[in-house]
Amino acid sequence: MAKVQITQVKSTIDRPERQKRTIQALGLGKINRTVEVELTASIAGMINKVNHLISVKEL
């Protein structure tokens, strides 16, 4: 599968608890923190739920 680079670009302050937990599950939590993950169906779903808080780049 393809790898993607996910960077958090917005804060989770004043966001629903569900979005905060999704950000934590992706391995993020602070602005400008970046992780590289395999693009699976579950990761794609998490990206879709918090796409307004993150930036995604395919590798």
Side-chain angles (χ1 to χ4, degrees), residues 15-57:
R15 301 291 177 185
E17 187 65 30
R18 186 172 181 155
Q19 290 178 8
K20 291 179 184 181
R21 289 185 183 178
T22 302
I23 290 289
Q24 289 294 326
L26 286 170
L28 303 170
K30 292 186 178 182
I31 296 177
N32 291 327
R33 184 169 287 172
T34 302
V35 294
E36 282 185 23
V37 293
E38 288 286 330
L39 185 60
T40 61
S42 60
I43 296 293
M46 287 192 270
I47 289 171
N48 196 29
K49 290 294 183 185
V50 293
N51 63 356
H52 56 289
L53 302 175
I54 60 176
S55 166
V56 181
K57 179 177 150 187

